[in-house]
Structures are given as C-alpha cells and as structure tokens.
Amino acid sequence: MKKLFLMLFLCHFSSAVKHTLRYAVTTFSREQDFMFVGISVVDGIVAVNCDSIKQKVEPKRDWMKKAYDENPDHLEWHTQQCYYPNFFKTTIHDLKQRFNQSRGVHILQTNTGCE
C-alpha cells in the first residue's frame, strides 16, 4: 500500500515534456524562375532543410541523421514533401492570375506545425 501511495504521489509531480515541430517553406518566382527553401524545426532547432538549388534534403543534427539511417522511409517522406513544388508553382500562378500580377517577384510563405 505504501508503494502504491508513493507512486501516486510521485506521479502528481512528474509531467510529460512538450515538444514543438514546425515546417516553414518560402517560395518565390520571377517571370520564368521558381525557387524554394524549406526547413523543419524541432523545439526551436533547425533539424532539416532543403532547397531547389541543392536538390537534396540535408539533416542538420546528428540525431536527425541517425533517424534517417534507421528509418529510410522517413527520409523518403521528407524528400517527397520538399520536392513537391507543383503545389507552390500552381498556387503562385493562380494568385498572379487572380490579382492580375504577372510581372515582378512573387513570394509565398507557409508555416505549419504542432506542439
């Protein structure tokens, strides 16, 4: 009984640690050019980034490299998410048409995440 009471008492003081995950993508287009940069941020630390110039997903932390090594499907998912520019191209094209703004530089930023 004492052990049960002690366990219940200690459980009251223990709590789960909250973490945050955020994905941020910035895209821009000029006349025919289209470029993008994406990052994954975990607890305020950049874990992964990708861009249209390097054409590869780059883990920025050792624990992220290890996660990719242990689970290649996760790397594949990030690669697909990072190099799915048709969504951004289409969105920028639609916005340019809608607002009759076919010339100049156009920037689209998205920011999603969870806690």
Side-chain angles (χ1 to χ4, degrees), residues 46-49 56-72 74-75 78:
V46 176
V48 179
N49 77 334
K56 70 177 192 173
V57 174
E58 288 185 293
K60 293 297 186 181
R61 300 286 178 239
D62 290 336
W63 50 267
M64 199 66 218
K65 291 175 189 170
K66 182 179 176 186
Y68 283 157
D69 290 342
E70 292 175 357
N71 189 358
H74 195 71
L75 175 61
H78 261 132

Side-chain angles (χ1 to χ4, degrees), residues 91-102 106:
T91 303
I92 287 178
H93 176 73
D94 290 348
L95 291 171
K96 289 185 337 185
Q97 297 270 329
R98 183 176 293 163
F99 296 110
N100 196 22
Q101 298 288 324
S102 60
H106 299 85

